[in-house]
Amino acid sequence: MSDSVQESKPRHEHHPHLDAKTRVVSNVDAKLANPLRGIPNEILMNEVEIFAQERGLPHLLPELKKGALVAQNADAYKQYDMFTDEDKKFLEDEVTHKWRQTGTLYYMVVMSSLAAAVQGMDEAVINGAQLFYPSQFGMDTTTSRGSWLLGVVNSAPYLCCATLSCWLTHPLNQWLGRKKTIFVTCLISFLTCIWSALTNTWWHLFIARFFLGFGIGPKSATVPVYAAECAPAPIRGALVMMWQMWTAFGIGLGDVIDLAFYFIPDSGGIRGLNWRLMLASAGIPGLIVCLQVLYAPESPRWLIGKGRYEEAFNELCRLRFSRVQAARDLYYIHILLEAENEMKKGRNRVVEMFTIPRNRNAALASWIVMFGQQFCGLNVIAYYSSNIFSQSGFSDTSALAATVGFGVLNWLFALPAVFTIDTFGRRNLLLFTFPCMAICLLITGFSFWDTFREGRIVGVAIGIYLFAITYSPGEGPVPFTYSAEVFPLYIRDIGMSFATATTWFWNFVLSITWPSLVLAFKPQGAFGWYAAWCMILWFLILLFVRETKGRTLEELDQVFSVPARVHAAYGLRQIPYGIKKFILLQNPTPEQLYQPESESEENIGPRDGAGKEARRSAAAEP
């Protein structure tokens, strides 16, 4: 038990240079990373027996004892004779064959991916519909009033997300649970998409799309958490990242549907049947998810939080191959929830997010990358690319076909992000791709000055396609992954709520202002505006966003305890270093602002936050 004794020491003994407030945060994180570390075997077994009696689980006591040992130390099954050969095989396979999982887990993965695709389709189908409904509703988009009305209608769901629906995520999850929240939000998406297709005035369409926001906001926070809480640790991070990838797939699918329904003629006295079918079609995948979620497991963590331990164990048995794995996760989740509740007592976590420098630095970095996901200009193209291509000289059908190309590239180049984000690092990816995105936006905007239609079309298409290629592996997956790992565990849910609201608020601002921005400054000025923001964001990332790749929780405390002004000065000093290395091809010595000391990862439980995989998997709980 010597390692356990070492782990049980206060973390400020390992890192005495941390300031007092950060040491408090560090010790809280140490407790939450694995509340079982350092507990002697005899005491642990006694606690398991008490737990089994209090929770009405005495029939599970043998499995719970083995599970508690593995929860405390992932290699415990190699040290105790109580583990059978079958137990050892399943526990070893978690590491050596991490993608060998139960059919129920993969059923949950398919459902979560389809829910993400619903999200993307909800956002994308308006792209093609706006080629038609403005004229039918008497909206002259060449005037200031008409352009603002177009922006208001298109941005309605994101106004709802920023002001109302994101803040309903926590009460919905507490009241209904993950599974029923997904059901309700997908049902809202289905009904509001059908409702949108039946409107005949701009204000009616605005109301319908505003209510669509109640299906978008809570779903965007709930589905990644649901996937994280059902998945085993080795693949949890990858499943959380799939939300962004399959959202991109949904955007591409929505673009394909827009093109497919373009040719539908009016029928039976129904005007605008094509754009109505576009909007209605986005609801169909939501209905499929509603039917599918009925057979999916509920989140074991939510059931345990409600005191429904027997149900939680049964769901874990569906999600895992062995009862020992289920018992391990059951006991560990219980201990972790008790530790979290104890840590939250007497603390104002919202205040501490701003008053403790370590937390404030993490929040600032998170908000920068979340803001950047919108003001890099991506959703301008995602929501308005059909208009952009049309203005450049494409016919309506060609504009929709070109939009499909953008959607496909956006999805395809999101696939490598699972590997690049941990190979090149979050900060490095952003610092490399933001200047590239700025150049692509300038190419797109400046192409509108080309007096030859063919040249203008080619320039706009190249600029937008290259933008998708550079965005998808960088600013696409980084913001949600980064935000899920930078906050200390005890304020993670609060931090992610603010981060999610940040991205939806600026999404609303971007989508409502684009039509008027184009009208006032022409496409050249509008794209130049977002190219300028890409460069501003490059500097903000350089100065205030810290690298988190491969850092443990202990190391992150050190990284974010560096004062903002010190890190900003360090960022400025990296400019001449980058010029020498990448332009002059010299070999300068890089400056090390911090050299974190990694603690041993022994005795760290299967669901803790240590290392890159576990931190990526620590998705925010709404």
Side-chain angles (χ1 to χ4, degrees):
M1 297 298 293
S2 58
D3 289 336
S4 296
V5 173
Q6 175 71 16
E7 287 291 345
S8 65
K9 291 181 180 180
R11 287 168 65 192
H12 66 264
E13 293 184 18
H14 298 287
H15 307 299
H17 58 283
L18 298 179
D19 63 86
K21 290 183 176 179
T22 304
R23 284 204 300 270
V24 172
V25 172
S26 182
N27 289 332
V28 169
D29 263 359
K31 179 65 175 175
L32 294 180
N34 189 345
L36 296 175
R37 68 173 74 183
I39 299 177
N41 180 274
E42 182 179 349
I43 296 176
L44 179 62
M45 293 298 98
N46 288 336
E47 290 181 350
V48 172
E49 291 179 5
I50 294 171
F51 164 76
Q53 291 297 327
E54 289 181 345
R55 307 298 173 180
L57 303 172
H59 56 291
L60 299 178
L61 187 57
E63 289 93 344
L64 287 171
K65 285 185 175 181
K66 290 190 284 187
L69 289 171
V70 180
Q72 184 185 54
N73 178 0
D75 292 329
Y77 68 92
K78 300 176 182 178
Q79 304 167 12
Y80 294 92
D81 294 334
M82 68 174 68
F83 290 92
T84 65
D85 290 339
E86 185 180 43
D87 294 335
K88 294 177 181 179
K89 177 182 180 300
F90 286 126
L91 292 169
E92 286 175 354
D93 282 350
E94 284 187 328
V95 178
T96 58
H97 301 88
K98 65 180 183 179
W99 289 103
R100 184 183 295 167
Q101 300 294 335
T102 64
T104 301
L105 181 73
Y106 279 113
Y107 183 87
M108 182 276 299
V109 170
V110 171
M111 188 200 70
S112 299
S113 300
L114 187 56
V118 172
Q119 192 89 353
M121 289 186 66
D122 286 343
E123 298 177 26
V125 290
I126 195 68
N127 200 334
Q130 65 188 298
L131 290 174
F132 306 100
Y133 78 78
S135 59
Q136 185 171 331
F137 292 167
M139 299 162 55
D140 185 357
T141 56
T142 62
T143 66
S144 177
R145 179 180 182 275
S147 63
W148 275 107
L149 288 180
L150 179 64
V152 164
V153 171
N154 288 357
S155 65
Y158 319 118
L159 174 63
C160 178
C161 290
T163 57
L164 291 175
S165 67
C166 277
W167 306 104
L168 293 176
T169 303
H170 182 70
L172 281 174
N173 277 266
Q174 287 297 307
W175 182 35
L176 299 175
R178 313 291 190 231
K179 194 167 111 171
K180 291 180 182 176
T181 297
I182 294 171
F183 176 86
V184 169
T185 53
C186 286
L187 182 62
I188 290 173
S189 292
F190 168 70
L191 294 175
T192 51
C193 285
I194 302 300
W195 181 8
S196 298
L198 300 177
T199 58
N200 283 300
T201 60
W202 71 264
W203 56 264
H204 193 186
L205 181 57
F206 167 82
I207 293 173
R209 285 183 55 76
F210 183 87
F211 277 90
L212 174 61
F214 287 102
I216 291 178
K219 181 163 77 267
S220 68
T222 301
V223 174
V225 173
Y226 173 72
E229 291 177 348
C230 290
I235 64 170
R236 194 180 305 136
L239 295 188
V240 173
M241 286 192 63
M242 283 186 181
W243 170 260
Q244 184 67 31
M245 182 176 69
W246 290 104
T247 298
F249 174 81
I251 291 174
L253 182 59
D255 293 336
V256 170
I257 287 174
D258 283 346
L259 179 60
F261 285 141
Y262 175 85
F263 300 99
I264 302 294
D266 293 349
S267 177
I270 301 176
R271 292 185 58 204
L273 184 59
N274 52 1
W275 69 262
R276 296 179 188 278
L277 289 174
M278 292 175 189
L279 296 184
S281 65
I284 303 303
L287 181 61
I288 295 173
V289 174
C290 286
L291 299 175
Q292 190 180 11
V293 77
L294 298 174
Y295 305 99
E298 180 53 274
S299 161
R301 180 184 171 98
W302 182 82
L303 290 170
I304 291 172
K306 296 297 181 181
R308 295 156 61 177
Y309 286 83
E310 188 77 43
E311 292 178 58
F313 180 76
N314 292 335
E315 296 291 37
L316 282 167
C317 286
R318 295 177 63 195
L319 292 163
R320 306 289 183 264
F321 282 114
S322 73
R323 291 169 65 86
V324 169
Q325 292 170 303
R328 173 200 62 192
D329 291 348
L330 179 80
Y331 187 67
Y332 193 81
I333 295 169
H334 161 75
I335 292 296
L336 188 59
L337 283 173
E338 287 202 334
E340 289 178 1
N341 292 333
E342 184 65 28
M343 293 300 175
K344 292 174 184 177
K345 289 180 180 178
R347 312 180 77 106
N348 190 323
R349 294 181 296 152
V350 174
V351 171
E352 289 192 7
M353 189 167 68
F354 296 96
T355 57
I356 296 179
R358 181 260 183 266
N359 299 346
R360 185 170 62 243
N361 291 334
L364 176 62
S366 170
W367 295 340
I368 287 173
V369 296
M370 284 296 202
F371 169 79
Q373 190 174 59
Q374 302 306 320
F375 264 60
C376 69
L378 179 278
N379 282 330
V380 161
I381 299 172
Y383 301 157
Y384 292 101
S385 58
S386 58
N387 272 346
I388 293 168
F389 284 123
S390 181
Q391 291 168 5
S392 69
F394 282 85
S395 66
D396 284 351
T397 52
S398 297
L400 290 172
T403 294
V404 171
F406 164 77
V408 170
L409 289 174
N410 185 40
W411 177 60
L412 287 178
F413 282 86
L415 298 176
V418 175
F419 309 100
T420 59
I421 196 169
D422 280 320
T423 302
F424 301 107
R426 291 82 163 120
R427 185 171 182 264
N428 290 335
L429 273 175
L430 298 180
L431 290 175
F432 175 76
T433 55
F434 264 93
C436 296
M437 287 191 288
I439 293 171
C440 294
L441 290 174
L442 290 177
I443 291 173
T444 304
F446 290 174
S447 295
F448 280 89
W449 271 314
D450 195 327
T451 56
F452 294 98
R453 177 178 174 273
E454 290 76 9
R456 186 168 61 251
I457 287 174
V458 170
V460 170
I462 289 175
I464 287 178
Y465 289 167
L466 289 178
F467 180 88
I469 290 170
T470 54
Y471 165 87
S472 293
E475 186 62 2
V478 165
F480 279 90
T481 302
Y482 189 86
S483 298
E485 65 192 5
V486 298
F487 292 104
L489 294 177
Y490 83 106
I491 64 164
R492 187 187 65 202
D493 54 348
I494 298 293
M496 274 301 291
S497 293
F498 274 91
T500 304
T502 297
T503 197
W504 285 121
F505 172 77
W506 292 111
N507 190 322
F508 161 70
V509 171
L510 174 144
S511 54
I512 195 175
T513 56
W514 175 255
S516 297
L517 194 66
V518 172
L519 187 64
F521 297 105
K522 307 303 180 188
Q524 297 92 325
F527 279 105
W529 165 256
Y530 285 108
W533 269 111
C534 282
M535 295 313 302
I536 292 171
L537 283 160
W538 184 86
F539 278 102
L540 291 175
I541 292 163
L542 181 73
L543 300 181
F544 300 114
V545 174
R546 294 110 191 278
E547 183 56 74
T548 61
K549 183 192 76 166
R551 305 293 191 195
T552 64
L553 289 168
E554 292 84 354
E555 293 168 343
L556 286 177
D557 289 337
Q558 292 182 277
V559 168
F560 286 101
S561 67
V562 174
R565 64 181 182 278
V566 174
H567 192 276
Y570 162 74
L572 291 175
R573 292 194 297 272
Q574 285 188 301
I575 296 177
Y577 166 81
I579 293 174
K580 292 177 182 178
K581 182 175 179 64
F582 299 108
I583 297 179
L584 301 180
L585 302 180
Q586 298 176 3
N587 191 27
T589 302
E591 176 184 353
Q592 295 293 331
L593 181 62
Y594 31 69
Q595 293 181 324
E597 305 168 23
S598 299
E599 291 186 358
S600 171
E601 294 191 4
E602 290 185 9
N603 298 322
I604 292 178
R607 299 175 69 88
D608 66 29
K612 70 182 182 182
E613 188 66 41
R615 285 185 300 93
R616 280 173 48 193
S617 72
E621 184 178 337

